[in-house]
Amino acid sequence: MPSPQPGPPLWLLAELTYQCPLHCVFCYNPRDYSRYQRELTTREWVDVLTQARALGAAQLGFSGGEPLLRDDLEELVAEAHRLGYYTNLLTSGIGLTESRARALKDAGLDHVQLSFQDSTRELNDFLSHTRTFELKQRAAALIKAHDWPMVMNCVLHKHNLPHVDKIIEMALALGAEYLELANTQYYGWALQNRAQLLPTRAELEAAEAVVQRYREQIGQRCRLLYVVPDYFEDRPKACMNGWGKVFLSIAPDGTAMPCHNAGELPGLQLPNVREQALASIWRDSQAFNAFRGYGWMKEPCSSCDEKEKDFGGCRCQAYLLAGDASAADPVCAKSPQHEQVLRIVRQGQSPQPPALQPLVFRSNPPSRRSR
Amino acid sequence: MTDAPVSTPPQSDQLPACPRLARLFRLQFESAQNAWVLLYPEGMVQLNPSAAEILRRCDGQRPIDAIVEELQGLFQVEGIGPQVEALLQEGVRRGWIV
């Protein structure tokens, strides 16, 4: 059944490359990222940007992997700026030198989001399996020196939740306008490492209280965005603001996805910008229509009076936890599979350290094994 | 001027004499949405037509009175001062306007 004409894809995420100098244990890139070998060329990316802008995309994120590994980033930013996008660079900061920062500023880059793993060198470097803490500090200084608004992003989990005060202090000291405290979402590498990353409810509540205290203290100086850990909720997140509704993600090889984890879902014929025009991908493709609107829903979603609020939650989570991408997101207390989530959370409360299972760092050998 | 101590932070409902858009925000017309939008890091707000007309005039040069007068002339209406001020208050609260 065809869905009604979709609105424009307002948000374009350009995942320029899955290559990354970091090896973060919670990376959301697909486990089999090493499969995405043949990256789009500069000319192909410019074509994607032009087509998406014509469809109405206004926000553009250059992401990855590490987008600074593409030496045509400046050229792509300049083109995006000329097209009228608001351009966001989502980076680890590795590779941001004075000369590249200047070139990106000249190209019209609007904003930089810099990720940190922790407020301490030890944990930052351990979790990313690199020595990058000081490099990131320097990147932050460069971002401020070029007068970009800076969003700092820190993924939160069991190991750094107790330092959330220091993470906020660091963001304030570095002059960030926003700090995104993003509790780990369990997809990709993070799912693999879930037993080690999932905090206890008490750890979360303690961190939330700290965030609230800082909010009251610092007012508008730095906005603290706190992404709630959905395993601990009883209603699902409005994932992607609805499938195929506003969000369009392009993988390094040109695969177009309604969500950056859509590659994990079975039964989707993901289109590629090398083979199909973006307008037809967005409006007509099987993948973008699979969960668009409400027609695909099963009970308890289809008769739920909250379906227009959360769109049934996350399709990937439904597949990963309930084994059915059309099921209600098991985070929802109305889901027949909700007990699964409660069980996972309960296991995380046990005082026994989860050290029996090793942390898996994002890197090429385990990625190739997962193909 | 008041005799409040220097350390008192400015009231958030105080309006600047000549309002302007905060550095983080960019205002542009989007034909796909047939609307003016405010763009900021990883976000976008679609503006209704009257909000757009007001914000477009927040250039840090025009006093609020001049903005009100200009809009009244343009749309042949009277007494929109309170409406303009309410929108600007909201803009200050949300950090759009400084």
Side-chain angles (χ1 to χ4, degrees), chain A residues 10 53 56 58-59 84-86 88 110-111 113 147 149 177 220 223, chain B residues 23-26 28 30 32-33 39-44 92-95:
Chain A
L10 300 174
R53 183 73 187 125
Q59 280 285 352
Y85 281 104
Y86 189 93
N88 305 275
D110 289 299
H111 149 242
Q113 184 198 101
D147 197 33
E177 272 89 356
Q220 298 212 1
R223 298 211 170 193
Chain B
R23 188 176 63 90
L24 283 172
F25 296 86
R26 193 166 93 201
Q28 72 184 34
E30 284 296 301
Q33 301 174 56
L39 292 158
Y40 54 95
E42 299 171 57
M44 170 160 53
V92 168
R93 197 183 61 78
R94 295 195 189 203

PDB file of all heavy atoms in Angstrom, chain A residues 10 53 56 58-59 84-86 88 110-111 113 147 149 177 220 223, chain B residues 23-26 28 30 32-33 39-44 92-95:
ATOM      1  N   LEU A  10      14.318  16.745   5.305  1.00  0.00           N
ATOM      2  CA  LEU A  10      14.907  18.002   5.793  1.00  0.00           C
ATOM      3  C   LEU A  10      16.348  17.824   6.257  1.00  0.00           C
ATOM      4  O   LEU A  10      17.142  18.747   6.236  1.00  0.00           O
ATOM      5  CB  LEU A  10      14.060  18.553   6.950  1.00  0.00           C
ATOM      6  CG  LEU A  10      12.608  18.861   6.613  1.00  0.00           C
ATOM      7  CD1 LEU A  10      11.822  19.270   7.855  1.00  0.00           C
ATOM      8  CD2 LEU A  10      12.528  19.964   5.553  1.00  0.00           C
ATOM      9  N   ARG A  53      19.221  18.900  -1.854  1.00  0.00           N
ATOM     10  CA  ARG A  53      18.841  20.297  -1.623  1.00  0.00           C
ATOM     11  C   ARG A  53      17.593  20.637  -2.424  1.00  0.00           C
ATOM     12  O   ARG A  53      16.688  21.318  -1.935  1.00  0.00           O
ATOM     13  CB  ARG A  53      20.011  21.216  -2.005  1.00  0.00           C
ATOM     14  CG  ARG A  53      19.769  22.688  -1.739  1.00  0.00           C
ATOM     15  CD  ARG A  53      19.821  23.028  -0.256  1.00  0.00           C
ATOM     16  NE  ARG A  53      19.424  24.412  -0.043  1.00  0.00           N
ATOM     17  CZ  ARG A  53      18.443  24.801   0.773  1.00  0.00           C
ATOM     18  NH1 ARG A  53      17.774  23.930   1.475  1.00  0.00           N
ATOM     19  NH2 ARG A  53      18.141  26.080   0.898  1.00  0.00           N
ATOM     20  N   GLY A  56      14.589  19.659  -0.768  1.00  0.00           N
ATOM     21  CA  GLY A  56      14.224  20.442   0.408  1.00  0.00           C
ATOM     22  C   GLY A  56      15.101  20.215   1.626  1.00  0.00           C
ATOM     23  O   GLY A  56      14.812  20.738   2.700  1.00  0.00           O
ATOM     24  N   ALA A  58      17.755  20.872   4.304  1.00  0.00           N
ATOM     25  CA  ALA A  58      18.317  22.155   4.746  1.00  0.00           C
ATOM     26  C   ALA A  58      19.456  21.941   5.739  1.00  0.00           C
ATOM     27  O   ALA A  58      20.415  22.694   5.771  1.00  0.00           O
ATOM     28  CB  ALA A  58      17.227  23.018   5.380  1.00  0.00           C
ATOM     29  N   GLN A  59      19.339  20.918   6.558  1.00  0.00           N
ATOM     30  CA  GLN A  59      20.410  20.582   7.500  1.00  0.00           C
ATOM     31  C   GLN A  59      21.263  19.488   6.878  1.00  0.00           C
ATOM     32  O   GLN A  59      20.742  18.489   6.382  1.00  0.00           O
ATOM     33  CB  GLN A  59      19.826  20.054   8.813  1.00  0.00           C
ATOM     34  CG  GLN A  59      19.323  21.121   9.758  1.00  0.00           C
ATOM     35  CD  GLN A  59      20.447  21.874  10.460  1.00  0.00           C
ATOM     36  OE1 GLN A  59      21.622  21.521  10.359  1.00  0.00           O
ATOM     37  NE2 GLN A  59      20.069  22.929  11.155  1.00  0.00           N
ATOM     38  N   GLY A  84      23.124  26.440  -0.047  1.00  0.00           N
ATOM     39  CA  GLY A  84      22.224  26.985   0.974  1.00  0.00           C
ATOM     40  C   GLY A  84      21.978  26.072   2.163  1.00  0.00           C
ATOM     41  O   GLY A  84      21.079  26.307   2.956  1.00  0.00           O
ATOM     42  N   TYR A  85      22.767  25.025   2.309  1.00  0.00           N
ATOM     43  CA  TYR A  85      22.639  24.157   3.492  1.00  0.00           C
ATOM     44  C   TYR A  85      23.187  24.856   4.728  1.00  0.00           C
ATOM     45  O   TYR A  85      24.093  25.681   4.638  1.00  0.00           O
ATOM     46  CB  TYR A  85      23.489  22.891   3.324  1.00  0.00           C
ATOM     47  CG  TYR A  85      22.920  21.815   2.459  1.00  0.00           C
ATOM     48  CD1 TYR A  85      23.412  21.607   1.170  1.00  0.00           C
ATOM     49  CD2 TYR A  85      21.946  20.961   2.932  1.00  0.00           C
ATOM     50  CE1 TYR A  85      22.937  20.576   0.371  1.00  0.00           C
ATOM     51  CE2 TYR A  85      21.462  19.921   2.141  1.00  0.00           C
ATOM     52  CZ  TYR A  85      21.961  19.739   0.872  1.00  0.00           C
ATOM     53  OH  TYR A  85      21.485  18.718   0.087  1.00  0.00           O
ATOM     54  N   TYR A  86      22.680  24.443   5.890  1.00  0.00           N
ATOM     55  CA  TYR A  86      23.354  24.714   7.153  1.00  0.00           C
ATOM     56  C   TYR A  86      24.274  23.512   7.365  1.00  0.00           C
ATOM     57  O   TYR A  86      23.808  22.378   7.475  1.00  0.00           O
ATOM     58  CB  TYR A  86      22.349  24.837   8.295  1.00  0.00           C
ATOM     59  CG  TYR A  86      22.975  25.333   9.585  1.00  0.00           C
ATOM     60  CD1 TYR A  86      22.984  26.691   9.886  1.00  0.00           C
ATOM     61  CD2 TYR A  86      23.571  24.456  10.481  1.00  0.00           C
ATOM     62  CE1 TYR A  86      23.561  27.157  11.068  1.00  0.00           C
ATOM     63  CE2 TYR A  86      24.154  24.914  11.652  1.00  0.00           C
ATOM     64  CZ  TYR A  86      24.142  26.269  11.936  1.00  0.00           C
ATOM     65  OH  TYR A  86      24.723  26.714  13.095  1.00  0.00           O
ATOM     66  N   ASN A  88      27.000  21.072   9.142  1.00  0.00           N
ATOM     67  CA  ASN A  88      27.503  20.596  10.427  1.00  0.00           C
ATOM     68  C   ASN A  88      28.612  19.574  10.175  1.00  0.00           C
ATOM     69  O   ASN A  88      28.417  18.650   9.378  1.00  0.00           O
ATOM     70  CB  ASN A  88      26.392  19.875  11.201  1.00  0.00           C
ATOM     71  CG  ASN A  88      25.142  20.733  11.371  1.00  0.00           C
ATOM     72  OD1 ASN A  88      25.047  21.526  12.285  1.00  0.00           O
ATOM     73  ND2 ASN A  88      24.167  20.584  10.457  1.00  0.00           N
ATOM     74  N   ASP A 110      29.339  25.925   8.988  1.00  0.00           N
ATOM     75  CA  ASP A 110      28.565  26.657   9.991  1.00  0.00           C
ATOM     76  C   ASP A 110      28.832  26.199  11.420  1.00  0.00           C
ATOM     77  O   ASP A 110      28.717  26.981  12.349  1.00  0.00           O
ATOM     78  CB  ASP A 110      27.057  26.475   9.710  1.00  0.00           C
ATOM     79  CG  ASP A 110      26.627  27.232   8.470  1.00  0.00           C
ATOM     80  OD1 ASP A 110      26.772  28.465   8.459  1.00  0.00           O
ATOM     81  OD2 ASP A 110      26.173  26.592   7.501  1.00  0.00           O
ATOM     82  N   HIS A 111      29.132  24.930  11.613  1.00  0.00           N
ATOM     83  CA  HIS A 111      29.159  24.427  12.987  1.00  0.00           C
ATOM     84  C   HIS A 111      29.978  23.140  13.083  1.00  0.00           C
ATOM     85  O   HIS A 111      30.024  22.366  12.142  1.00  0.00           O
ATOM     86  CB  HIS A 111      27.706  24.190  13.451  1.00  0.00           C
ATOM     87  CG  HIS A 111      27.554  23.090  14.432  1.00  0.00           C
ATOM     88  ND1 HIS A 111      26.805  21.964  14.179  1.00  0.00           N
ATOM     89  CD2 HIS A 111      28.062  22.919  15.676  1.00  0.00           C
ATOM     90  CE1 HIS A 111      26.849  21.166  15.217  1.00  0.00           C
ATOM     91  NE2 HIS A 111      27.605  21.708  16.139  1.00  0.00           N
ATOM     92  N   GLN A 113      30.652  19.781  15.588  1.00  0.00           N
ATOM     93  CA  GLN A 113      30.361  18.959  16.771  1.00  0.00           C
ATOM     94  C   GLN A 113      31.577  18.081  17.043  1.00  0.00           C
ATOM     95  O   GLN A 113      32.002  17.315  16.189  1.00  0.00           O
ATOM     96  CB  GLN A 113      29.140  18.053  16.559  1.00  0.00           C
ATOM     97  CG  GLN A 113      28.803  17.287  17.820  1.00  0.00           C
ATOM     98  CD  GLN A 113      27.908  16.075  17.609  1.00  0.00           C
ATOM     99  OE1 GLN A 113      28.360  14.938  17.575  1.00  0.00           O
ATOM    100  NE2 GLN A 113      26.634  16.330  17.447  1.00  0.00           N
ATOM    101  N   ASP A 147      35.729  30.779  15.660  1.00  0.00           N
ATOM    102  CA  ASP A 147      34.421  31.336  15.969  1.00  0.00           C
ATOM    103  C   ASP A 147      33.258  30.489  15.473  1.00  0.00           C
ATOM    104  O   ASP A 147      32.235  31.010  15.029  1.00  0.00           O
ATOM    105  CB  ASP A 147      34.313  32.775  15.393  1.00  0.00           C
ATOM    106  CG  ASP A 147      33.165  33.530  16.049  1.00  0.00           C
ATOM    107  OD1 ASP A 147      32.906  33.284  17.236  1.00  0.00           O
ATOM    108  OD2 ASP A 147      32.520  34.351  15.367  1.00  0.00           O
ATOM    109  N   PRO A 149      30.202  27.903  16.411  1.00  0.00           N
ATOM    110  CA  PRO A 149      29.502  27.347  17.557  1.00  0.00           C
ATOM    111  C   PRO A 149      29.987  25.912  17.759  1.00  0.00           C
ATOM    112  O   PRO A 149      30.189  25.185  16.781  1.00  0.00           O
ATOM    113  CB  PRO A 149      28.028  27.362  17.139  1.00  0.00           C
ATOM    114  CG  PRO A 149      27.969  27.822  15.732  1.00  0.00           C
ATOM    115  CD  PRO A 149      29.336  28.200  15.273  1.00  0.00           C
ATOM    116  N   GLU A 177      28.987  25.686  23.326  1.00  0.00           N
ATOM    117  CA  GLU A 177      27.655  26.292  23.421  1.00  0.00           C
ATOM    118  C   GLU A 177      26.599  25.257  23.800  1.00  0.00           C
ATOM    119  O   GLU A 177      25.585  25.588  24.388  1.00  0.00           O
ATOM    120  CB  GLU A 177      27.247  26.941  22.100  1.00  0.00           C
ATOM    121  CG  GLU A 177      27.694  28.376  21.953  1.00  0.00           C
ATOM    122  CD  GLU A 177      29.077  28.477  21.331  1.00  0.00           C
ATOM    123  OE1 GLU A 177      29.688  27.428  21.087  1.00  0.00           O
ATOM    124  OE2 GLU A 177      29.523  29.613  21.099  1.00  0.00           O
ATOM    125  N   GLN A 220      21.882  29.771  30.410  1.00  0.00           N
ATOM    126  CA  GLN A 220      22.022  29.691  28.957  1.00  0.00           C
ATOM    127  C   GLN A 220      23.465  29.636  28.481  1.00  0.00           C
ATOM    128  O   GLN A 220      23.726  29.584  27.286  1.00  0.00           O
ATOM    129  CB  GLN A 220      21.331  30.894  28.309  1.00  0.00           C
ATOM    130  CG  GLN A 220      19.854  30.936  28.596  1.00  0.00           C
ATOM    131  CD  GLN A 220      19.071  31.552  27.460  1.00  0.00           C
ATOM    132  OE1 GLN A 220      19.630  31.938  26.450  1.00  0.00           O
ATOM    133  NE2 GLN A 220      17.766  31.637  27.615  1.00  0.00           N
ATOM    134  N   ARG A 223      24.036  24.897  26.805  1.00  0.00           N
ATOM    135  CA  ARG A 223      22.818  24.084  26.927  1.00  0.00           C
ATOM    136  C   ARG A 223      23.198  22.619  27.058  1.00  0.00           C
ATOM    137  O   ARG A 223      23.971  22.113  26.255  1.00  0.00           O
ATOM    138  CB  ARG A 223      21.927  24.286  25.709  1.00  0.00           C
ATOM    139  CG  ARG A 223      21.495  25.720  25.619  1.00  0.00           C
ATOM    140  CD  ARG A 223      20.133  25.887  24.997  1.00  0.00           C
ATOM    141  NE  ARG A 223      19.736  27.274  25.181  1.00  0.00           N
ATOM    142  CZ  ARG A 223      18.528  27.743  24.996  1.00  0.00           C
ATOM    143  NH1 ARG A 223      17.570  26.937  24.614  1.00  0.00           N
ATOM    144  NH2 ARG A 223      18.254  29.014  25.193  1.00  0.00           N
TER     145      ARG A 223
ATOM    146  N   ARG B  23      24.308  34.743  17.307  1.00  0.00           N
ATOM    147  CA  ARG B  23      25.325  34.252  16.380  1.00  0.00           C
ATOM    148  C   ARG B  23      25.069  32.802  15.926  1.00  0.00           C
ATOM    149  O   ARG B  23      25.429  32.413  14.824  1.00  0.00           O
ATOM    150  CB  ARG B  23      26.664  34.329  17.123  1.00  0.00           C
ATOM    151  CG  ARG B  23      27.896  34.070  16.368  1.00  0.00           C
ATOM    152  CD  ARG B  23      29.087  34.314  17.288  1.00  0.00           C
ATOM    153  NE  ARG B  23      29.106  33.396  18.421  1.00  0.00           N
ATOM    154  CZ  ARG B  23      29.712  32.225  18.424  1.00  0.00           C
ATOM    155  NH1 ARG B  23      30.355  31.820  17.354  1.00  0.00           N
ATOM    156  NH2 ARG B  23      29.687  31.448  19.482  1.00  0.00           N
ATOM    157  N   LEU B  24      24.450  32.012  16.786  1.00  0.00           N
ATOM    158  CA  LEU B  24      24.248  30.596  16.464  1.00  0.00           C
ATOM    159  C   LEU B  24      23.191  30.369  15.406  1.00  0.00           C
ATOM    160  O   LEU B  24      23.074  29.278  14.875  1.00  0.00           O
ATOM    161  CB  LEU B  24      23.793  29.846  17.717  1.00  0.00           C
ATOM    162  CG  LEU B  24      24.815  29.504  18.779  1.00  0.00           C
ATOM    163  CD1 LEU B  24      24.110  28.948  20.000  1.00  0.00           C
ATOM    164  CD2 LEU B  24      25.780  28.478  18.231  1.00  0.00           C
ATOM    165  N   PHE B  25      22.381  31.383  15.126  1.00  0.00           N
ATOM    166  CA  PHE B  25      21.188  31.156  14.306  1.00  0.00           C
ATOM    167  C   PHE B  25      21.300  31.789  12.931  1.00  0.00           C
ATOM    168  O   PHE B  25      21.911  32.832  12.757  1.00  0.00           O
ATOM    169  CB  PHE B  25      19.952  31.692  15.023  1.00  0.00           C
ATOM    170  CG  PHE B  25      19.669  30.951  16.303  1.00  0.00           C
ATOM    171  CD1 PHE B  25      20.282  31.316  17.485  1.00  0.00           C
ATOM    172  CD2 PHE B  25      18.828  29.851  16.302  1.00  0.00           C
ATOM    173  CE1 PHE B  25      20.057  30.613  18.656  1.00  0.00           C
ATOM    174  CE2 PHE B  25      18.598  29.136  17.458  1.00  0.00           C
ATOM    175  CZ  PHE B  25      19.207  29.518  18.634  1.00  0.00           C
ATOM    176  N   ARG B  26      20.695  31.124  11.970  1.00  0.00           N
ATOM    177  CA  ARG B  26      20.638  31.666  10.614  1.00  0.00           C
ATOM    178  C   ARG B  26      19.196  31.592  10.139  1.00  0.00           C
ATOM    179  O   ARG B  26      18.523  30.584  10.304  1.00  0.00           O
ATOM    180  CB  ARG B  26      21.532  30.857   9.686  1.00  0.00           C
ATOM    181  CG  ARG B  26      21.757  31.549   8.353  1.00  0.00           C
ATOM    182  CD  ARG B  26      22.897  30.901   7.614  1.00  0.00           C
ATOM    183  NE  ARG B  26      22.411  29.863   6.707  1.00  0.00           N
ATOM    184  CZ  ARG B  26      23.176  28.877   6.238  1.00  0.00           C
ATOM    185  NH1 ARG B  26      24.432  28.766   6.618  1.00  0.00           N
ATOM    186  NH2 ARG B  26      22.674  28.000   5.407  1.00  0.00           N
ATOM    187  N   GLN B  28      16.602  31.776   7.010  1.00  0.00           N
ATOM    188  CA  GLN B  28      16.517  31.740   5.547  1.00  0.00           C
ATOM    189  C   GLN B  28      15.170  31.210   5.084  1.00  0.00           C
ATOM    190  O   GLN B  28      14.485  30.495   5.819  1.00  0.00           O
ATOM    191  CB  GLN B  28      17.685  30.959   4.934  1.00  0.00           C
ATOM    192  CG  GLN B  28      17.660  29.471   5.104  1.00  0.00           C
ATOM    193  CD  GLN B  28      18.932  28.806   4.537  1.00  0.00           C
ATOM    194  OE1 GLN B  28      20.027  29.358   4.583  1.00  0.00           O
ATOM    195  NE2 GLN B  28      18.781  27.614   3.990  1.00  0.00           N
ATOM    196  N   GLU B  30      12.899  28.801   2.942  1.00  0.00           N
ATOM    197  CA  GLU B  30      12.987  27.459   2.355  1.00  0.00           C
ATOM    198  C   GLU B  30      11.768  27.244   1.467  1.00  0.00           C
ATOM    199  O   GLU B  30      10.643  27.115   1.967  1.00  0.00           O
ATOM    200  CB  GLU B  30      13.023  26.411   3.469  1.00  0.00           C
ATOM    201  CG  GLU B  30      14.355  26.303   4.162  1.00  0.00           C
ATOM    202  CD  GLU B  30      15.467  25.834   3.221  1.00  0.00           C
ATOM    203  OE1 GLU B  30      15.354  24.735   2.658  1.00  0.00           O
ATOM    204  OE2 GLU B  30      16.440  26.595   3.040  1.00  0.00           O
ATOM    205  N   ALA B  32      10.922  24.641  -0.247  1.00  0.00           N
ATOM    206  CA  ALA B  32      10.274  23.327  -0.074  1.00  0.00           C
ATOM    207  C   ALA B  32       9.258  23.348   1.067  1.00  0.00           C
ATOM    208  O   ALA B  32       8.300  22.585   1.065  1.00  0.00           O
ATOM    209  CB  ALA B  32      11.315  22.240   0.176  1.00  0.00           C
ATOM    210  N   GLN B  33       9.497  24.221   2.056  1.00  0.00           N
ATOM    211  CA  GLN B  33       8.559  24.315   3.175  1.00  0.00           C
ATOM    212  C   GLN B  33       7.642  25.522   3.032  1.00  0.00           C
ATOM    213  O   GLN B  33       6.760  25.733   3.860  1.00  0.00           O
ATOM    214  CB  GLN B  33       9.335  24.439   4.500  1.00  0.00           C
ATOM    215  CG  GLN B  33      10.264  23.270   4.761  1.00  0.00           C
ATOM    216  CD  GLN B  33      11.123  23.483   6.005  1.00  0.00           C
ATOM    217  OE1 GLN B  33      10.614  23.706   7.087  1.00  0.00           O
ATOM    218  NE2 GLN B  33      12.432  23.439   5.840  1.00  0.00           N
ATOM    219  N   LEU B  39      17.831  28.255  11.357  1.00  0.00           N
ATOM    220  CA  LEU B  39      18.745  27.115  11.362  1.00  0.00           C
ATOM    221  C   LEU B  39      19.784  27.334  12.445  1.00  0.00           C
ATOM    222  O   LEU B  39      20.255  28.464  12.645  1.00  0.00           O
ATOM    223  CB  LEU B  39      19.429  26.998  10.001  1.00  0.00           C
ATOM    224  CG  LEU B  39      18.514  26.598   8.850  1.00  0.00           C
ATOM    225  CD1 LEU B  39      19.107  27.010   7.509  1.00  0.00           C
ATOM    226  CD2 LEU B  39      18.269  25.105   8.882  1.00  0.00           C
ATOM    227  N   TYR B  40      20.137  26.264  13.134  1.00  0.00           N
ATOM    228  CA  TYR B  40      21.170  26.325  14.172  1.00  0.00           C
ATOM    229  C   TYR B  40      21.805  24.946  14.266  1.00  0.00           C
ATOM    230  O   TYR B  40      21.368  24.024  13.570  1.00  0.00           O
ATOM    231  CB  TYR B  40      20.566  26.793  15.498  1.00  0.00           C
ATOM    232  CG  TYR B  40      19.383  25.987  15.969  1.00  0.00           C
ATOM    233  CD1 TYR B  40      19.547  24.946  16.869  1.00  0.00           C
ATOM    234  CD2 TYR B  40      18.097  26.258  15.494  1.00  0.00           C
ATOM    235  CE1 TYR B  40      18.458  24.191  17.296  1.00  0.00           C
ATOM    236  CE2 TYR B  40      17.013  25.500  15.926  1.00  0.00           C
ATOM    237  CZ  TYR B  40      17.201  24.474  16.823  1.00  0.00           C
ATOM    238  OH  TYR B  40      16.128  23.722  17.231  1.00  0.00           O
ATOM    239  N   PRO B  41      22.857  24.793  15.067  1.00  0.00           N
ATOM    240  CA  PRO B  41      23.557  23.506  15.053  1.00  0.00           C
ATOM    241  C   PRO B  41      22.615  22.317  15.196  1.00  0.00           C
ATOM    242  O   PRO B  41      21.948  22.167  16.223  1.00  0.00           O
ATOM    243  CB  PRO B  41      24.516  23.607  16.245  1.00  0.00           C
ATOM    244  CG  PRO B  41      24.834  25.068  16.308  1.00  0.00           C
ATOM    245  CD  PRO B  41      23.542  25.759  15.951  1.00  0.00           C
ATOM    246  N   GLU B  42      22.509  21.524  14.141  1.00  0.00           N
ATOM    247  CA  GLU B  42      21.716  20.303  14.105  1.00  0.00           C
ATOM    248  C   GLU B  42      20.234  20.510  14.386  1.00  0.00           C
ATOM    249  O   GLU B  42      19.565  19.618  14.894  1.00  0.00           O
ATOM    250  CB  GLU B  42      22.296  19.271  15.074  1.00  0.00           C
ATOM    251  CG  GLU B  42      23.720  18.895  14.693  1.00  0.00           C
ATOM    252  CD  GLU B  42      24.400  18.046  15.743  1.00  0.00           C
ATOM    253  OE1 GLU B  42      23.850  17.002  16.059  1.00  0.00           O
ATOM    254  OE2 GLU B  42      25.461  18.447  16.224  1.00  0.00           O
ATOM    255  N   GLY B  43      19.728  21.699  14.094  1.00  0.00           N
ATOM    256  CA  GLY B  43      18.313  21.924  14.333  1.00  0.00           C
ATOM    257  C   GLY B  43      17.716  22.963  13.398  1.00  0.00           C
ATOM    258  O   GLY B  43      18.434  23.696  12.708  1.00  0.00           O
ATOM    259  N   MET B  44      16.391  23.001  13.376  1.00  0.00           N
ATOM    260  CA  MET B  44      15.686  23.920  12.484  1.00  0.00           C
ATOM    261  C   MET B  44      14.302  24.188  13.067  1.00  0.00           C
ATOM    262  O   MET B  44      13.627  23.287  13.541  1.00  0.00           O
ATOM    263  CB  MET B  44      15.565  23.275  11.102  1.00  0.00           C
ATOM    264  CG  MET B  44      14.664  24.004  10.133  1.00  0.00           C
ATOM    265  SD  MET B  44      15.019  23.531   8.422  1.00  0.00           S
ATOM    266  CE  MET B  44      14.921  21.761   8.471  1.00  0.00           C
ATOM    267  N   VAL B  92      14.075  35.775  23.043  1.00  0.00           N
ATOM    268  CA  VAL B  92      15.136  35.940  24.044  1.00  0.00           C
ATOM    269  C   VAL B  92      15.193  34.691  24.922  1.00  0.00           C
ATOM    270  O   VAL B  92      16.260  34.145  25.199  1.00  0.00           O
ATOM    271  CB  VAL B  92      14.884  37.200  24.907  1.00  0.00           C
ATOM    272  CG1 VAL B  92      15.803  37.214  26.131  1.00  0.00           C
ATOM    273  CG2 VAL B  92      15.088  38.454  24.066  1.00  0.00           C
ATOM    274  N   ARG B  93      14.000  34.221  25.311  1.00  0.00           N
ATOM    275  CA  ARG B  93      13.941  33.051  26.181  1.00  0.00           C
ATOM    276  C   ARG B  93      14.577  31.837  25.509  1.00  0.00           C
ATOM    277  O   ARG B  93      15.277  31.056  26.128  1.00  0.00           O
ATOM    278  CB  ARG B  93      12.482  32.749  26.543  1.00  0.00           C
ATOM    279  CG  ARG B  93      12.299  31.834  27.743  1.00  0.00           C
ATOM    280  CD  ARG B  93      10.835  31.519  27.995  1.00  0.00           C
ATOM    281  NE  ARG B  93      10.205  30.828  26.885  1.00  0.00           N
ATOM    282  CZ  ARG B  93      10.360  29.525  26.619  1.00  0.00           C
ATOM    283  NH1 ARG B  93      11.107  28.785  27.382  1.00  0.00           N
ATOM    284  NH2 ARG B  93       9.739  28.979  25.580  1.00  0.00           N
ATOM    285  N   ARG B  94      14.328  31.703  24.207  1.00  0.00           N
ATOM    286  CA  ARG B  94      14.882  30.557  23.491  1.00  0.00           C
ATOM    287  C   ARG B  94      16.310  30.786  23.009  1.00  0.00           C
ATOM    288  O   ARG B  94      16.890  29.914  22.353  1.00  0.00           O
ATOM    289  CB  ARG B  94      14.019  30.243  22.270  1.00  0.00           C
ATOM    290  CG  ARG B  94      12.618  29.799  22.630  1.00  0.00           C
ATOM    291  CD  ARG B  94      12.014  29.178  21.414  1.00  0.00           C
ATOM    292  NE  ARG B  94      10.610  28.886  21.526  1.00  0.00           N
ATOM    293  CZ  ARG B  94      10.015  27.961  20.782  1.00  0.00           C
ATOM    294  NH1 ARG B  94      10.706  27.274  19.905  1.00  0.00           N
ATOM    295  NH2 ARG B  94       8.736  27.739  20.895  1.00  0.00           N
ATOM    296  N   GLY B  95      16.836  31.972  23.253  1.00  0.00           N
ATOM    297  CA  GLY B  95      18.213  32.255  22.863  1.00  0.00           C
ATOM    298  C   GLY B  95      18.387  32.659  21.405  1.00  0.00           C
ATOM    299  O   GLY B  95      19.500  32.753  20.913  1.00  0.00           O
TER     300      GLY B  95
END
